[in-house]
Amino acid sequence: MVFGAGMQGGVAIASLRHDFDVCNDGLNVMVDEARRAPGCFGARMTGAGFGGCAVALVAADLRSAFVRQVEAGYRKVTGLDPKVYVCRATNGAEIVA
């Protein structure tokens, strides 16, 4: 299931890049670097387009290596220091009794 979700992200970013032309070079680099990093199941842009953010699904035990490689790769290509945030999926909104 996780692999399938990662593959869907790849299809979505390709469509956004080529069909709708709403990505930019920096975001394309971020997604490409994330996809090459260890533990990445998939990565794509998110938000309204024309820049913004990328999200990646990453194996928890490889998150530190993923962050280091993405930051270094992005810096090498763009000359800019990226902001990479690690978060964890939760159940979402719920009633707490």
Side-chain angles (χ1 to χ4, degrees), residues 26-67:
L27 187 53
N28 289 335
V29 169
M30 182 62 75
V31 170
D32 291 343
E33 291 299 326
R35 287 184 175 165
R36 284 193 282 273
C40 184
F41 295 108
R44 61 161 291 166
M45 71 164 284
T46 187
F50 305 105
C53 298
V55 63
L57 186 59
V58 179
D61 59 329
L62 294 173
R63 67 184 171 265
S64 295
F66 172 86
V67 169

Side-chain angles (χ1 to χ4, degrees), residues 16-89:
L16 292 168
R17 278 184 186 175
H18 304 295
D19 296 335
F20 297 101
D21 196 27
V22 294
C23 289
N24 63 39
D25 293 341
L27 187 53
N28 289 335
V29 169
M30 182 62 75
V31 170
D32 291 343
E33 291 299 326
R35 287 184 175 165
R36 284 193 282 273
C40 184
F41 295 108
R44 61 161 291 166
M45 71 164 284
T46 187
F50 305 105
C53 298
V55 63
L57 186 59
V58 179
D61 59 329
L62 294 173
R63 67 184 171 265
S64 295
F66 172 86
V67 169
R68 281 192 304 273
Q69 184 167 322
V70 169
E71 288 177 338
Y74 189 86
R75 192 175 301 111
K76 181 178 179 181
V77 173
T78 67
L80 301 171
D81 289 323
K83 299 289 184 199
V84 178
Y85 301 96
V86 175
C87 60
R88 184 176 53 91

